[in-house]
Amino acid sequence: MTTTSAAERKEDKRVFFENEQMDSMAKHFVGNFKRYRENIVIPTSNGPVQIKTNEEKMIEKTVESCAFKSITACIMGYGLGAALGLFSASVNPSLTDPLLHEKKQTAREILRDMRKTTHGYAKNFAMIGMVFSGVECTIESYRGVTDWRNGTYAGGITGGLIGLRAGVKAGLVGAAGFAAFSTVIDYYMRHRM
């Protein structure tokens, strides 16, 4: 019977495999288990580099999530739609013809009509922004590539969903139109620099 001392058993501690040779080879390829955070070499060609804290990483992960991007696009779309709706309502008010001797609109009725138009535009822009942003982010996450195709695919899906409310033909036309518009805008934004 072979007796082994405590020091030999401690040295003979295997991590990955029971076979000593396989275990030593695995340790060689995996590397040591010590982390030297202080000894990380980061090239500083663009100024000083700071390693991010866990809180910064968490906030960055949240901001880059598809849900956050969709909600942000929804809020911004609502604001843009409200501004365009207000402009549209002020430029094209629904005034009655003074020659027909109909009752003239009061300021309250005009403001109610402007509010209705503004809110309608805001809801539509919010929905379009949220759907487009969510679909584009999902496609980008799935493909793992950031290029013009993400916007084109997202535009096709968003336009198709919007047009589908009016029928299949309108859905196809909406998908083609929105995809083409998204492609042109994406091309312009990427090549103007």
Side-chain angles (χ1 to χ4, degrees):
M1 210 182 233
T2 314
T3 59
T4 57
S5 67
E8 288 176 345
R9 276 184 274 152
K10 190 175 183 183
E11 260 183 21
D12 194 32
K13 184 178 176 185
R14 293 186 176 92
V15 178
F16 298 104
F17 300 103
E18 291 293 317
N19 186 344
E20 185 180 353
Q21 288 179 332
M22 291 291 289
D23 192 62
S24 67
M25 190 167 52
K27 285 180 187 176
H28 172 75
F29 285 120
V30 172
N32 62 7
F33 297 109
K34 297 177 184 172
R35 294 185 174 225
Y36 300 104
R37 187 174 174 122
E38 307 85 40
N39 296 336
I40 295 176
V41 177
I42 301 174
T44 59
S45 60
N46 294 331
V49 177
Q50 294 178 346
I51 297 174
K52 295 178 184 173
T53 64
N54 289 336
E55 290 81 14
E56 289 174 331
K57 290 177 187 176
M58 182 183 67
I59 290 172
E60 187 176 278
K61 184 179 178 184
T62 303
V63 169
E64 290 179 357
S65 70
C66 291
F68 185 84
K69 288 180 180 179
S70 294
I71 291 169
T72 304
C74 180
I75 293 169
M76 291 176 66
Y78 191 89
L80 178 66
L84 288 175
L86 184 63
F87 176 75
S88 174
S90 66
V91 170
N92 190 18
S94 58
L95 295 176
T96 58
D97 189 6
L99 299 176
L100 294 177
H101 303 292
E102 293 181 7
K103 181 182 127 189
K104 293 190 177 188
Q105 284 185 323
T106 64
R108 175 174 279 168
E109 290 172 344
I110 291 173
L111 289 174
R112 189 178 298 135
D113 186 46
M114 287 178 74
R115 184 177 63 112
K116 182 180 171 186
T117 304
T118 301
H119 188 63
Y121 271 77
K123 284 192 314 185
N124 288 336
F125 272 79
M127 184 197 63
I128 290 171
M130 184 177 72
V131 171
F132 181 83
S133 180
V135 170
E136 183 183 30
C137 182
T138 304
I139 290 172
E140 185 176 325
S141 298
Y142 178 76
R143 291 183 66 221
V145 178
T146 303
D147 62 357
W148 61 272
R149 291 180 184 159
N150 297 336
T152 303
Y153 297 153
I157 291 170
T158 305
L161 289 174
I162 292 169
L164 200 59
R165 295 187 294 185
V168 176
K169 186 176 179 182
L172 292 174
V173 171
F178 214 107
F181 180 74
S182 298
T183 305
V184 169
I185 293 297
D186 216 6
Y187 179 81
Y188 173 74
M189 295 301 275
R190 290 184 191 277
H191 290 89
R192 70 183 176 121
M193 299 291 177

